[in-house]
Amino acid sequence: MKHFEKITALAAMLCLMISCTQHALRQDMKKFMSENIAFPTDLIKITDGQVSSGKIELYKSVMVFFYGKDECSSCAINHLNDDLSGFIDIEKSEKCRVVILFSPLEDDILDVQNQIRELKFPFPIYVDLYGEFYRINKDFPSDRRFHSFLIGKDAHPVFIGNPLRGEKLSKVFKMVLKKINKS
């Protein structure tokens, strides 16, 4: 009987921990969605291996794929081709722009630029040269689940997650996008 009581107590503690974690995540999402996201003005844009200065223009809705200083930039760059058709599909809908933004550590900037140039990705990729994204978005979460998000015309996130990573997320993304475009 004591063994059953221990298992029951352990299960109850596990449920409580999961519940608290989900509550904390919901709170983090609410906070993030109330924030205004601003983009750096001093960016470089790399398209098809060509480098130019760039600026991110806000549109009715923008799906942002952000790769920050605490992520493996090389890994992210190597996986960009996996998502290319998804990026193109999002843009083809003409309801949303896609922005791919890297904000690497200062020591990694040249490597990141060179890797992106060599990739000759047919889609614009922006690189934040001076870590300005973090300075102007002081409370930007380090949790990678928040690094893919859709912002509406008011520059607030209205969807959090990568719609290319699952059918459920993709469905929710499309519903949110439809709602934005009706308004």
Side-chain angles (χ1 to χ4, degrees), residues 152-171:
K153 58 185 168 197
D154 63 354
H156 287 85
V158 293
F159 170 84
I160 300 168
N162 186 336
L164 307 177
R165 294 290 175 256
E167 191 59 38
K168 287 182 182 178
L169 274 176
S170 180
K171 264 185 175 174

Side-chain angles (χ1 to χ4, degrees), residues 6 8 10 14 34 48 51-53 90-91 98 118 141 171:
K6 286 182 182 177
T8 304
L10 187 59
L14 184 60
S34 72
D48 285 322
V51 180
S52 61
S53 63
I90 291 171
E91 285 246 340
V98 171
E118 288 170 10
K171 264 185 175 174

Side-chain angles (χ1 to χ4, degrees), residues 23 57 69 77 83 95 111 115 117 130 140 156 158:
H23 177 71
E57 300 290 334
K69 61 185 177 188
I77 293 166
D83 292 332
K95 297 175 182 167
D111 287 339
Q115 287 177 342
R117 272 197 359 261
Y130 306 109
F140 191 77
H156 287 85
V158 293

Side-chain angles (χ1 to χ4, degrees), residues 46-138:
I46 305 171
T47 310
D48 285 322
Q50 300 300 312
V51 180
S52 61
S53 63
K55 184 178 180 202
I56 297 171
E57 300 290 334
L58 285 184
Y59 185 68
K60 192 171 194 176
S61 55
V62 178
M63 183 65 211
V64 178
F65 296 90
F66 176 75
Y67 302 97
K69 61 185 177 188
D70 53 349
E71 296 177 61
C72 172
S73 295
S74 293
C75 302
I77 293 166
N78 290 333
H79 289 286
L80 284 174
N81 277 325
D82 299 341
D83 292 332
L84 178 59
S85 65
F87 297 147
I88 290 170
D89 288 346
I90 291 171
E91 285 246 340
K92 270 187 185 174
S93 73
E94 296 181 8
K95 297 175 182 167
C96 181
R97 282 197 52 231
V98 171
V99 167
I100 303 166
L101 175 62
F102 281 82
S103 187
L105 290 169
E106 190 176 333
D107 294 343
D108 297 336
I109 288 175
L110 286 176
D111 287 339
V112 167
Q113 286 181 58
N114 289 333
Q115 287 177 342
I116 293 171
R117 272 197 359 261
E118 288 170 10
L119 183 64
K120 294 190 187 307
F121 201 66
F123 215 83
I125 299 173
Y126 297 89
V127 180
D128 176 10
L129 296 174
Y130 306 109
E132 191 181 347
F133 183 83
Y134 287 107
R135 279 194 292 282
I136 58 180
N137 297 289
K138 289 181 179 27

